[in-house]
Amino acid sequence: QISVLYFARSAELAGLRCETLSVPREITSLQLWEEIVKVHPRLAAIRDQVIFAVRQEYVLLGDQLLVLQPGDEVAIIPPISGG
């Protein structure tokens, strides 16, 4: 089980700020995104704008293999506009 933290637009779409999910221990970042979208389909709208932070390190969605440990935190970080 991992902790998923939602920020900004992702929190609005998911309807919550954090939750615990059960996912495979070895999973690509894209597969992890797909698992999260199964639970919160509205998140699909921001798929091309999202970056993960896994154990506080940025990870792009793609084929990168993640080896997750129980209790790891995965943050969903949509782009933040500023000016």
Side-chain angles (χ1 to χ4, degrees), residues 8-24:
R9 182 85 174 121
S10 68
E12 292 172 20
L13 292 171
L16 58 139
R17 296 240 175 246
C18 64
E19 68 182 329
T20 301
L21 293 179
S22 294
V23 297

Side-chain angles (χ1 to χ4, degrees), residues 15-58:
L16 58 139
R17 296 240 175 246
C18 64
E19 68 182 329
T20 301
L21 293 179
S22 294
V23 297
R25 185 169 182 264
E26 292 189 11
I27 190 169
T28 68
S29 56
L30 184 56
Q31 289 169 329
L32 178 57
W33 173 251
E34 290 167 352
E35 290 292 317
I36 293 168
V37 169
K38 282 181 193 173
V39 178
H40 303 288
R42 293 177 61 200
L43 289 172
I46 60 170
R47 188 252 181 258
D48 293 333
Q49 305 162 349
V50 165
I51 296 176
F52 281 159
V54 179
R55 294 183 295 274
Q56 299 181 358
E57 291 187 24
Y58 289 120

